[in-house]
Each structure stands twice: as structure tokens, then as C-alpha cells.
Amino acid sequence: MTTTIEDIRELLRTYDPAPVTTLEKIPQSGSNRMYFRIHTAERSYIATYNENVRENRTFVHFSRHFRARGCPVPEIYTVNETYTIYLQEDFGDTSLLNELEMHGHGDHVYELFRRSLQALAKLQIKGNEDLDYSWSITSREFGKQAILSDLLYFKYYFLDTLEIPYDKEKLIDDFEALSTYLTHVDHKYFMFRDFQSRNILIRDEQPHFIDFQGGMKGALQYDVASMLWQAKAELSDDWKTSLLEHYMDFVETLLEKKIDRLRFVSQYNGYVLIRLLQVLGAYGFRGLFERKAHFLTSIPLALRNFKWFLTNKQVGIVLPEFERLLGLMVEENVIHRFEPLRATEQTPLVVHVNSFSYKKTGIPGDDSGNGGGFVFDCRGILNPGRITEFKVLTGRDKAVKDFLEQQTRMPEFLNSIYNIVDIAVEDYIKRDFESLSVNFGCTGGQHRSVYAADALARHLRNKFHVKVDLHHIEQEGKNWVNTP
């Protein structure tokens, strides 16, 4: 990490010799790319470090191409010789999803969605002009094989886990028919591939796009489906319908001709289906196979989103076996499999979560009289307390949290703990038990154990709505004002 930061500083010096005032790592999402925000006295930059040189070259090429056509993508300022680090324009850290979460489904956010779709249409159609698709990372076009791949991804990582009997040959026939139907669309231009509200940054009330390096040639409808049917956004049917109409207006303006709207919407619904299935496949892989708690909790919302689609929309092609399976997949008993048990006001269970110091206080006792509970040793995680700048901080300070999340195996450690503790919490809620203790220890009870205890408390409250009694034993009496 130290070498990477020095390399970033050196690259910045070749472009802007102004002294760096701050350089901080931005939390990673699902990729292996590392992002850093750099401030000088007058400017800010985003530095990206990524060992996948081909992906970097594609992003830089696409960015410069779209930028030249007036699309709202970041300017690439400079790239190092090995193409592992590049500096780009900083659009800030407020996404369209952030705006939605802060302001709700009102006129302000609706207008941001409308502007985003207008900018998308321009990126797709104007950005397609003279674009060299040989730069695409996976395939040059989202055609029949790519559609089949998404369908099979869904089948293997989600549908098959439900253990619903089906006729394999008939299902594959339906996959073939659907992929053929969707391949023959009227309008193929640049396809963003992951166009959703997290990848749209809002600056000065205008949308700006990031993370389009996975793009290829494809149907216009795919990106619109990705945005409007993102489960997390929970857009109403009225919003989806009117925003789609606005989008088609933008497309007709750019193409300078009318489109067959009935056919466009029918194929759009087909791409909504593909996108929803691809998302369920991803949730299945990350949640059911990799056991990542965040993805498991997203499955019920995605299924209910999908159930509404099946009830209210028509794809335009008959798929007997596939439709039968999809209907069974969204039955309430299936959705309930993925919904966590929730505590109520009458639930007696209290989960006592503590952080402590092995060196000073030792493992806390259990005052409930039950004994037992969990004790997790955090000393296997790299210790922030050994770093001078963190010695006076705690596991509730941002710098320490960033360090634990981004430079240690704490996320992996906690994910395993969630899986273990969740089993006990579910069982204790069902059996009306009153107490469960979970203790996190580290050397000083200041950094790792504090962070872990806060994280588990949030997880249990969010997932089970259970009462949590949280204590940081080493820190009590030291006038803490932070809250988890």
C-alpha cells in the first residue's frame, strides 16, 4: 500500500506540482480497483490503482472517446507508464442513490432521474459513433451468447438452489427462444452494462457517469431496464412508465426519427427480465455460495420486485417451462426462505455485545446466569494500534475504520461471525430466550474489538430488529461521545 501511494504521489507531481494536502483511500465496492481522493489547495483528483491493465486501457479509451462527444464522463488527466495508475476528474461522492435516500421519491429526484436518462441516451447514441469496440473487455456485443450466459448464471447460482423440479431440455429451449428474440432488436448502440444509480454521481444538479469499462454494443433497452428496475431504488410503476416515455422522446430526438414504441417497450420488458434474473444470479452467488450477508438480505427485495414484474408486464414471447418456474420462484413460501426472522416489541431476547481488552480486563462475565455465549478474538487482525497516527484514536474513528475495512481481513472475519451468530439469534428468538452474549477482544480493547462490536450491533439491529445492549468495557468512563 505504501508503495502504491508513493507512486500515486509521483504521478500527480508530473501533472500538478502543487503540494498534496490530503490523500485518502475511498472504500472499495465489488471490484479489485482501489480509489484514492487527493486534495491540493485548489483542486481535487481521483486516483485509480488497478493491476488489470486491459481494464484500465479500456476505461481510459472509452472515457476520452465519450468526453470528446460531450458526454458526462470523467476527464483522464494522466496515466503512468505501466497503465496501472491513472488520475481522473473528481465528481464528488454523492450518487443518484444517495439523493434518493436523502430526499425520497419527490420532484427533485424525479428530475435527476430524467436528466440521467437524457444523458444516457446521448452516451449510447453519440458515444457509439466511431467507437472501436475491439477495446471491449469481454465481448464486443451483447448478443445471443451473452444473453444465454446471463440466463445460465441465474439458473446455476439461484434457480437450482431452490430445488424446484423442472424439465431441463424444455428450459434450455426457452432460454434459446428468449435469447434469439432479444438479439433481434431494432436499436443497438453503446451499452453501459451496469447502469444503476450508484454509478451516477450528481454534481451541480447534473448527472455524471463512472464504471462503464464493461460496456459493449447492445440494445438501448438494457441500460434503461437496469436503472429503472434497480430493486434498491424502489421506483413506482408511474415513475418507471413516465421515465421510459421521456427516454424514448430523447432517443427519437437524437435519432431524428420516430421509433416503434410498442415493439420497443415489448423488447424493453424482455431486457427487464434478463436484468432481474442476472441480479438474482449475482445475489445467489455472493450470498448463497460466498455467504456474504449483505447479498443474502437483498434477495427478498429482489424477489418481490421480480414478482411485481411477472404480474404486471408482458415480454412478448411465450416461454412455457420458464414461465412456470418463475411463477413458482416468487411464491410467498419461497420468498420467506430468504427473509430473516424479525423480533417484535414482545420478543424478550436481548443480545449483549461487548468489546474488551485481553491485556487489561479479560473476558467479561455473564450476569444473566446462563453462561456461555460467544467470545471472538480479534488479535488475528492487523493491529491499527501499532501505527503512530492511530494510537490516540479508537475503532469508531473514520481513519481507523477505513484502515480495518480496506487494509485488513476484518470484513471477511466479520462476515464469518455474522453467519455463526445469526444461527443463534434466530433460534433464541423462536424459543423466547432472554439473553445472548457476544464478546470481542483485542489487545487493548481500543481499535479492533470496538469496531467489530459496533459492526455486529448494527448488523443485528438491521437484520433482526432485536434489542442490543452494547458496551465497550475498556472505554467506559472515558467520556465517549461517538455512537455506532
Side-chain angles (χ1 to χ4, degrees), residues 182-195:
L182 293 178
T183 300
H184 295 95
V185 294
D186 299 328
H187 306 286
K188 288 187 178 183
Y189 294 90
F190 179 76
M191 192 179 86
F192 198 110
R193 186 68 163 120
D194 192 23
F195 191 73

Side-chain angles (χ1 to χ4, degrees), residues 213-254:
Q213 59 274 356
M216 61 190 75
K217 198 177 188 75
L220 289 175
Q221 293 97 325
Y222 186 96
D223 289 335
V224 190
S226 299
M227 181 188 191
L228 298 185
W229 283 84
Q230 183 185 357
K232 187 79 172 177
E234 296 185 277
L235 301 187
S236 68
D237 187 48
D238 287 343
W239 272 39
K240 290 171 184 171
T241 301
S242 61
L243 286 169
L244 179 60
E245 288 292 333
H246 282 306
Y247 174 78
M248 290 188 289
D249 291 341
F250 300 144
V251 168
E252 288 182 338
T253 299
L254 289 166

Side-chain angles (χ1 to χ4, degrees), residues 315-335:
V315 174
I317 182 174
V318 177
L319 307 163
E321 182 67 0
F322 196 22
E323 290 173 1
R324 182 186 73 84
L325 286 172
L326 295 179
L328 294 173
M329 188 183 78
V330 296
E331 289 184 348
E332 286 300 313
N333 66 310
V334 175
I335 297 176

Side-chain angles (χ1 to χ4, degrees), residues 389-408:
E389 62 195 273
F390 296 153
K391 285 185 181 296
V392 297
L393 302 180
T394 75
R396 286 181 165 179
D397 289 295
K398 184 179 184 301
V400 175
K401 291 194 287 187
D402 288 347
F403 175 84
L404 289 170
E405 291 168 2
Q406 300 163 23
Q407 300 188 45
T408 77

Side-chain angles (χ1 to χ4, degrees), residues 85-101:
I85 301 172
Y86 52 89
L87 295 179
Q88 66 187 68
E89 186 176 1
D90 184 3
F91 290 142
D93 54 10
T94 301
S95 70
L96 180 57
L97 182 61
N98 295 146
E99 291 281 353
L100 178 59
E101 291 171 340

Side-chain angles (χ1 to χ4, degrees), residues 16-50:
D16 182 352
V20 172
T21 56
T22 62
L23 191 157
E24 59 181 5
K25 191 172 184 292
I26 300 172
Q28 287 175 253
S29 52
S31 74
N32 292 323
R33 295 183 297 277
M34 290 193 292
Y35 296 101
F36 301 81
R37 176 168 279 113
I38 309 169
H39 288 278
T40 64
E42 296 184 358
R43 298 189 64 178
S44 68
Y45 303 89
I46 296 295
T48 303
Y49 172 78
N50 183 13

